[in-house]
C-alpha cells in the first residue's frame, strides 16, 4: 500500500513552504492522496494515525483548511486540539519558540495558520515534530497540493504540457505558491497581474531557478489576453487577502477589474475545455455581507470572478475544495508515518 511504502522518506519532515518538497516528493504525496481518497470513498480506511495528537493553530479564519485537518485526522484515528486566535498564549505572553518547544512535547504534529512566515519557520525549527503551514502571508503550500491533484484529475494531458494561468492579485500567498509549484513541476505557468501586484523579485527568482531544472515555462505579465491564450486552467483568488486593510478595496478593484475571470476571459483562452480554479472563499455574488457591500459601494457587477463562471460547468472549485481533505490527510500520513 502506498502510504506504508513511501519512496521518499517524508517521516518527520515539515511543510513550511511549497519547496520543502521536491518535485518527486510532491507528486508522491498526491499519489498518497489519491489512494486515501479511494479508501474513503470505499468506506475502507485503515487508521494509520491511531493514538496520535495534532495541534491546529489558527491565527486567521478558516473553513476548508481547518475542516480538512480535523476530518483528515479523525478519519485516520488521530485527535486534534484547536487553538484559535487568542485561545493560547502564543504571540501575546509566550514566544513562538517557547510555544514550539511546549507543543512539541505534547503533540505529534502541528498545523499553523497566521501572518508571518517567520513564525511557522520558528515552530518548525523548535517543535521537534512535523509542522505544516496552513497559510501565511507568503505561502499556501497545502492549497497547492489540492490544486495540482485537481489539475491532474481534470487534465487530459501530462502535467508538463498543462497551461496554468493565475490572474488577479499575484502578490499573495496563493499566487506565490502557484508560481513556484508550477515552476517546480514543469508546467507552463503564467501569472497575469498589474505590475504593482506581481510576485516580488525573490519569488520570481525562485521560480526561475526551479524552471531551469524542470523545464517549466514561466511567464509573469500584465497582458491578460496573452497570458490566458490556450490556458487549460484559469486560477484566481480574492482581491484582498486576510490581514490587508479594508481601505484598500477601492484601489484593488480599480487595478484588478481587467483581470476579472468572466465569460469573455474564458473565451480568450480559445479553449472550450478550459477549467476554472479558485482556492475559495470566493466573492462571486451578493450572497455574502462583504460581497453585497462591495458590489454596491464600488458599483461593479462582479469582483474576482463572475457568478456565471463560478457556477458554470468549467468550474471545478468544489472538487478542488474536497481535495483539500485528501491532500492534507496525505501530508499528515506521509510525514507522521512514512518510512
Ligand atoms: N482555501 C482555503 O485555505 O480556505 P480556508 O480559508 O477556508 O481554509
Ligand atoms: N489569499 C487568500 C487566501 C485564502 C484562502 C488570503 O490570504 O486571504
Amino acid at each position: 500500500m502506498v502510504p506504508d511504502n513511501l519512496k521518499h522518506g517524508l517521516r518527520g519532515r515539515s511543510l513550511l513552504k511549497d519547496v520543502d518538497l521536491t518535485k518527486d516528493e510532491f507528486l508522491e504525496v498526491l499519489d498518497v492522496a489519491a489512494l486515501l481518497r479511494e479508501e474513503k470513498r470505499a468506506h475502507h480506511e485503515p487508521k494509520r494515525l491511531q493514538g496520535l495528537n495534532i495541534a491546529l493553530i489558527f491565527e486567521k479564519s478558516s473553513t476548508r483548511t481547518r475542516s480538512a485537518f480535523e476530518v483528515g485526522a479523525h478519519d485516520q484515528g488521530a485527535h486534534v486540539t484547536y487553538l484559535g486566535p487568542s485561545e493560547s498564549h502564543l504571540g501575546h505572553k509566550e514566544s513562538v519558540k517557547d510555544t514550539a518547544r511546549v507543543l512539541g512535547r505534547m503533540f505529534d504534529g502541528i498545523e499553523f495558520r497566521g501572518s508571518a512566515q517567520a513564525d511557522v519557520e520558528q515552530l518548525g525549527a523548535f517543535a521537534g515534530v512535523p509542522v505544516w503551514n496552513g497559510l501565511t502571508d507568503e505561502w499556501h503550500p497545502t492549497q497547492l497540493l489540492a490544486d495540482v491533484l485537481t489539475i491532474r484529475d481534470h487534465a487530459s494531458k501530462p502535467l508538463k504540457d498543462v497551461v496554468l494561468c493565475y490572474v488577479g492579485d499575484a502578490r499573495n500567498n496563493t499566487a506565490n505558491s502557484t508560481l513556484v509549484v508550477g515552476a517546480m513541476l514543469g508546467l507552463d505557468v503564467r501569472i497575469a497581474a498589474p505590475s504593482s501586484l506581481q510576485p516580488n523579485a525573490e519569488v520570481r527568482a525562485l521560480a526561475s531557478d526551479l524552471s531551469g531544472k524542470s523545464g517549466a515555462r514561466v511567464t509573469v505579465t500584465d497582458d491578460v489576453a496573452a497570458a490566458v491564450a490556450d490556458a487549460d486552467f484559469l486560477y484566481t483568488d480574492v482581491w484582498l487577502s486576510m490581514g490587508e486593510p479594508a481601505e484598500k478595496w477601492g484601489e484593488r478593484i480599480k487595478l484588478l477589474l481587467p483581470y476579472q475571470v468572466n465569460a469573455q476571459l474564458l473565451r480568450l483562452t480559445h479553449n472550450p475545455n478550459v477549467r476554472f480554479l479558485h482556492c475559495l472563499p470566493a466573492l462571486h455574488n451578493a450572497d455574502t455581507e462583504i460581497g453585497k457591500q462591495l458590489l454596491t459601494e464600488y458599483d461593479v457587477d462582479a469582483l474576482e470572478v463572475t457568478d456565471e463562471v463560478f457556477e458554470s460547468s468549467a468550474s471545478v472549485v468544489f472538487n478542488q475544495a474536497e481535495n483539500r481533505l485528501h491532500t492534507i490527510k496525505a501530508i499528515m500520513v506521509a510525514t507522521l508515518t512514512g518510512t
Side-chain angles (χ1 to χ4, degrees), residues 77-263:
H79 300 281
V80 299
T81 298
Y82 176 76
L83 298 166
S86 72
E87 277 174 9
S88 77
H89 296 299
L90 177 62
H92 317 286
K93 237 164 74 184
E94 194 158 36
S95 65
V96 178
K97 186 172 169 179
D98 289 355
T99 304
R101 289 179 289 179
V102 171
L103 297 183
R105 301 277 184 123
M106 299 189 187
F107 292 93
D108 301 287
I110 303 169
E111 180 276 351
F112 174 85
R113 168 173 286 198
S115 294
Q117 180 66 21
D119 286 349
V120 79
E121 300 273 353
Q122 203 157 44
L123 273 176
F126 291 98
V129 297
V131 173
W132 309 291
N133 177 350
L135 177 148
T136 58
D137 292 346
E138 270 176 70
W139 305 111
H140 198 359
T142 64
Q143 180 68 50
L144 264 289
L145 288 168
D147 300 344
V148 180
L149 182 61
T150 311
I151 288 171
R152 240 177 45 170
D153 291 341
H154 290 90
S156 51
K157 46 171 98 161
L159 275 182
K160 69 175 182 43
D161 296 328
V162 165
V163 180
L164 169 63
C165 181
Y166 178 100
V167 296
D169 175 16
R171 272 182 332 170
N172 72 16
N173 35 32
T174 305
N176 287 343
S177 286
T178 302
L179 183 62
V180 301
V181 168
M184 178 170 77
L185 300 184
L187 275 66
D188 182 337
V189 59
R190 305 170 185 177
I191 302 279
S195 58
S196 61
L197 292 174
Q198 292 177 354
N200 68 33
E202 212 180 316
V203 172
R204 289 170 72 158
L206 177 58
S208 161
D209 189 41
L210 289 163
S211 68
K213 294 172 195 138
S214 69
R217 286 79 69 215
V218 173
T219 309
V220 178
T221 178
D222 61 1
D223 185 343
V224 67
V228 302
D230 304 318
D232 297 298
F233 293 87
L234 288 187
Y235 193 176
T236 196
D237 186 8
V238 69
W239 284 347
L240 197 76
S241 284
M242 289 184 279
E244 295 195 286
E247 301 85 72
K248 287 212 162 189
W249 266 116
E251 174 198 316
R252 241 0 116 74
I253 290 172
K254 211 162 145 196
L255 275 169
L256 288 173
L257 266 180
Y259 299 85
Q260 178 184 80
V261 181
N262 51 36

Side-chain angles (χ1 to χ4, degrees), residues 15-52:
L15 180 63
L16 308 176
K17 53 189 184 306
D18 307 86
V19 295
D20 286 347
L21 296 174
T22 64
K23 174 182 176 178
D24 287 349
E25 289 168 347
F26 190 104
L27 294 173
E28 183 160 40
V29 173
L30 297 194
D31 290 340
V32 174
L35 182 101
L36 293 171
R37 182 170 63 185
E38 274 174 36
E39 287 182 357
K40 181 160 174 98
R41 288 181 179 165
H43 303 288
H44 177 74
E45 213 177 328
K47 296 191 184 313
R48 300 175 183 84
L49 304 181
Q50 192 87 53
L52 300 187

